Amino acid sequence: MQSRISDQTTLTEHLYRHTGMNTAFVCFFHGDTPLSFLGQGETFAAWLMCVEYVHDLTRPPHFDDALQPLTQLSLLLRKTYKQLVEYLRKRHPDIYAAKAAIVEFHLEQELNQISP
């Protein structure tokens, strides 16, 4: 059991160092419950989709703690994330649609702030 927690901590730290996915985003998307490997994967997929969302905005995101750091990512990371999302969208449209619906649910309050 200790090894499993250690492995998950290592993965979480790796994702933070290499993608910028921080604790505020994890809590925003997944809450305070301990993450499983599946939960970490789902949270990372949401991170990728939220990066795309934030960079499509013409205004700053309203969820400052969770989404504002996404605006600071390098162009190289943003391009890589866009490619990953495009791959998922094209190669696995059903999975993409299901994940996008979950992300949209978490962004509901943010989306309600959008004015036409």
Side-chain angles (χ1 to χ4, degrees):
M1 178 70 160
Q2 184 64 24
S3 177
R4 176 189 246 173
I5 293 170
S6 176
D7 291 346
Q8 289 172 335
T9 301
T10 300
L11 178 57
T12 300
E13 290 170 358
H14 177 82
L15 287 172
Y16 174 72
R17 271 192 314 277
H18 295 285
T19 70
M21 189 174 78
N22 61 14
T23 305
F25 184 84
V26 172
C27 289
F28 162 74
F29 186 75
H30 205 274
D32 293 333
T33 57
L35 281 176
S36 63
F37 282 113
L38 178 60
Q40 285 175 319
E42 289 176 346
T43 304
F44 182 60
W47 171 261
L48 297 175
M49 290 180 183
C50 285
V51 169
E52 181 179 53
Y53 166 75
V54 165
H55 286 278
D56 283 346
L57 294 174
T58 57
R59 52 134 180 103
H62 293 285
F63 290 132
D64 290 339
D65 290 344
L67 298 180
Q68 191 63 39
L70 283 73
T71 65
Q72 306 301 314
L73 295 174
S74 72
L75 180 60
L76 179 60
L77 277 178
R78 292 193 325 256
K79 284 182 178 182
T80 302
Y81 295 167
K82 183 176 182 173
Q83 289 172 340
L84 289 170
V85 171
E86 282 297 319
Y87 177 84
L88 183 61
R89 194 179 280 133
K90 287 179 183 176
R91 300 287 297 240
H92 304 283
D94 294 341
I95 294 171
Y96 172 82
K99 299 298 179 199
I102 294 167
V103 170
E104 187 175 323
F105 172 77
H106 288 309
L107 291 174
E108 185 174 6
Q109 185 180 359
E110 170 79 16
L111 296 171
N112 289 336
Q113 299 293 323
I114 297 173
S115 57

